Amino acid sequence: MPDAIIDENVFFLKIMADHAKFIGHLLDPSERKLVEQAREFSQEFDTLMFQAIDLSSMRPQSQTHPLLSQFVDENRVSVKSLRDFKKTARDLIEQCRIKSIIHPLLADHVFREAERFLFILDMFDRSLSGMKVNKKEILF
Ligand SMILES: [Fe+2]
């Protein structure tokens, strides 16, 4: 399971970082505040992705690493705020209240992908807290 947690985080954090980048690029430059927020998310998720790759390179030590649970917690906080940003962008695009060339369906898709990642992180969080109680009972 710790392997799956690390791999899944590398995979999804890269996608989240890519989303932040293309949202920033496809917004009209006059939407300065949103462009700036997208740029910050891009940097934040690049950092998180590199941290996930660091954890990945520490295997097998990382499997029992207490950092893993903290890492999942930190990711949840960041993904929640990116998810909220994507939701705001999606709603604004749908209501034609911002200038961008992002298709409304794409805006909705990237929002839902953040929701999916959050769902997976919650599952990992539950699994890691379960492991602290009794490793043998986890059947992943
Ligand atoms: Fe996608």
Side-chain angles (χ1 to χ4, degrees):
M1 189 61 183
D3 272 338
I5 293 176
I6 295 168
D7 292 342
E8 204 75 358
N9 274 285
V10 173
F11 175 77
F12 268 106
L13 288 168
K14 165 91 170 101
I15 291 175
M16 296 299 118
D18 286 351
H19 285 171
K21 286 177 182 64
F22 87 67
I23 291 170
H25 293 145
L26 298 181
L27 285 165
D28 188 88
S30 67
E31 300 288 355
R32 291 176 190 276
K33 190 142 193 263
L34 291 173
V35 172
E36 175 65 16
Q37 280 178 300
R39 199 185 55 78
E40 283 167 11
F41 277 121
S42 159
Q43 286 178 346
E44 183 179 350
F45 279 85
D46 278 349
T47 302
L48 292 173
M49 183 194 63
F50 286 125
Q51 280 175 348
I53 292 171
D54 288 341
L55 277 176
S56 173
S57 69
M58 288 175 197
R59 288 184 232 204
Q61 290 90 331
S62 61
Q63 297 203 0
T64 50
H65 213 290
L67 283 180
L68 194 55
S69 148
Q70 197 192 327
F71 179 68
V72 167
D73 274 347
E74 283 172 10
N75 285 351
R76 282 164 81 218
V77 173
S78 295
V79 176
K80 265 185 197 152
S81 71
L82 178 63
R83 189 265 322 261
D84 293 344
F85 172 74
K86 285 172 163 181
K87 187 176 192 301
T88 303
R90 181 198 68 174
D91 294 346
L92 291 171
I93 288 165
E94 173 139 328
Q95 299 155 14
C96 298
R97 284 169 58 201
I98 53 171
K99 293 186 287 300
S100 86
I101 52 167
I102 302 171
H103 194 285
L105 288 177
L106 181 61
D108 186 52
H109 173 79
V110 297
F111 160 69
R112 283 184 289 108
E113 237 159 29
E115 286 264 272
R116 172 84 189 146
F117 186 23
L118 212 47
F119 173 82
I120 291 170
L121 286 172
D122 286 343
M123 191 181 72
F124 287 158
D125 187 54
R126 282 196 303 276
S127 143
L128 286 168
S129 4
M131 276 174 174
K132 275 176 223 146
V133 179
N134 187 351
K135 276 188 181 177
K136 283 177 195 156
E137 285 179 4
I138 303 295
L139 298 172
F140 275 103

